[in-house]
Amino acid sequence: MRPDHVGLGGFDSHPLPPRASHFVRLASLALFAGAVCLLPPARAVAQAVDSAAVGVRASARFDTIPLRVTPRGAFLRSLAVPGWGQARLDRSTAGAAFVLTETLAAVMIVKSRRQLDRAKDARGDSIFAGYEVGSDGTPVLDETGAPVLIYEPHPLAARTRSRRQQFEDWIAILAFNHLFSGADAFVAAHLGDIPRRLSLRPTQNGLALSAHLPW
């Protein structure tokens, strides 16, 4: 009888019988197949990752929108220069409307002021209206023998009151444009903070939009 050769640790170093090795291979394949079956499908994993990534990106996009200007800052800017606060809030159309109104009011103020000054200057002027005629239809002569001239007040002098009213109206429109532009920028700055309170979250059925409204 041949003596057995024992390796390190006292274990038999003979190779396993053919049946034993075949059984080990089958067991290994079965374990591998079971592990593969337990893993989730690659497509589902990819969809879950993509949905989570979309949710994170959407949430970051809604939650981290920077507030470029505070409501108070927007109000003061547009109160000083109509359209400035709207420009800082990326509302170019509204800002252009206030700038156009401001320009028109300023031009009309200058124009109405000049017309008012002319009307005031005309109060001391008079225009020739003709000669004084007697009952017989002949011109009336003065002591020097010259015909008596007739002068009437300048017609612009009668328009002083109306032109002053126009001048004051355009000043009121200019002031209203400043106040309304400031109020519009103030409200727009508050409304611009709403997207920061919105967020998208991934769910089992897709994405959910949530809003945080403090009381």
Side-chain angles (χ1 to χ4, degrees), residues 50-109:
D50 293 341
S51 300
V54 171
V56 171
R57 288 195 299 268
S59 177
R61 183 171 62 253
F62 281 97
D63 292 340
T64 60
I65 294 178
L67 188 61
R68 301 179 61 183
V69 60
T70 62
R72 179 181 178 184
F75 172 78
L76 293 178
R77 284 179 172 85
S78 290
L79 183 64
V81 180
W84 185 10
Q86 285 77 10
R88 292 295 303 274
L89 294 171
D90 295 331
R91 301 179 67 243
S92 57
T93 302
F98 287 113
V99 171
L100 181 61
T101 305
E102 181 79 4
T103 303
L104 177 62
V107 171
M108 292 306 299
I109 286 175

Side-chain angles (χ1 to χ4, degrees), residues 101 121 131 176:
T101 305
D121 295 339
Y131 299 95
F176 177 78

Side-chain angles (χ1 to χ4, degrees), residues 128-134 137-141 146-151:
F128 174 72
Y131 299 95
E132 186 175 352
V133 181
T138 59
V140 177
L141 303 178
V148 178
L149 305 179
I150 300 177
Y151 291 93

Side-chain angles (χ1 to χ4, degrees), residues 124-178:
D125 296 337
S126 59
I127 58 176
F128 174 72
Y131 299 95
E132 186 175 352
V133 181
S135 58
D136 56 356
T138 59
V140 177
L141 303 178
D142 58 7
E143 298 177 355
T144 61
V148 178
L149 305 179
I150 300 177
Y151 291 93
E152 294 181 353
H154 199 287
L156 287 179
R159 303 179 183 177
T160 302
R161 185 173 182 179
S162 62
R163 292 189 173 183
R164 179 182 290 107
Q165 185 65 40
Q166 292 178 358
F167 175 68
E168 294 174 354
D169 289 344
W170 283 113
I171 292 179
I173 292 175
L174 184 71
F176 177 78
N177 186 58
H178 280 255

